[in-house]
């Protein structure tokens, strides 16, 4: 059986959730190409939409809140490579024990 919502066919679970709840997933999850300013603006809008959803549709609000919490970009690190840590191993000093 095909899952068709408003003339659009849901191919993946992500598509189905987006069509069923009417929520733009990228609004709550973000994209890898966004700048810090874009991210702040997107999160401001996402919080406003979430506040409206909490008043009108509790189930959709719970789904949107979970997307916001589990966003892969939430704890994103700054671009660039991190310095590599190296450790120097020193040879163990063995002492002779006199018996």
């Amino acid at each position: 059986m095909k899952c068709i919502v408003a003339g659009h066919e849901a191919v993946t679970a992500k598509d189905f959730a987006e069509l069923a709840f009417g929520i733009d997933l990228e609004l709550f999850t973000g994209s890898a190409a966004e700048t810090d300013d874009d991210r702040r603006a997107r999160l401001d809008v996402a919080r406003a939409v979430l506040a409206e959803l909490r008043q009108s549709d509790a189930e959709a609000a719970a789904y949107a809140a979970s997307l916001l919490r589990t966003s892969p970009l939430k704890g994103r690190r700054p671009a660039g490579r991190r310095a590599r840590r190296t450790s120097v191993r020193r040879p163990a000093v063995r002492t002779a024990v006199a018996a």
Side-chain angles (χ1 to χ4, degrees):
M1 178 177 179
K2 292 184 180 182
C3 297
I4 299 176
V5 178
H8 299 281
E9 184 177 347
V11 179
T12 64
K14 180 180 172 182
D15 292 342
F16 181 77
E18 187 171 351
L19 291 171
F21 287 115
I23 294 174
D24 179 16
L25 297 179
E26 195 170 307
L27 175 64
F28 292 97
T29 59
S31 72
E34 70 185 356
T35 64
D36 287 337
D37 290 337
D38 291 341
R39 182 175 187 269
R40 278 191 291 273
R42 178 185 57 79
L43 289 175
D44 287 343
V45 172
R47 287 184 193 104
V49 169
L50 186 57
E52 289 179 19
L53 281 174
R54 284 187 173 132
Q55 294 175 355
S56 62
D57 187 357
E59 188 176 355
Y63 178 69
S66 71
L67 287 174
L68 203 54
R69 280 192 309 271
T70 61
S71 172
L73 302 174
K74 187 175 182 180
R76 147 178 111 164
R77 295 181 185 225
R81 297 184 75 170
R82 201 168 99 184
R84 184 175 171 183
R85 289 184 178 181
T86 58
S87 61
V88 177
R89 290 190 173 236
R90 297 182 185 180
V93 178
R94 295 183 186 224
T95 58
V97 179

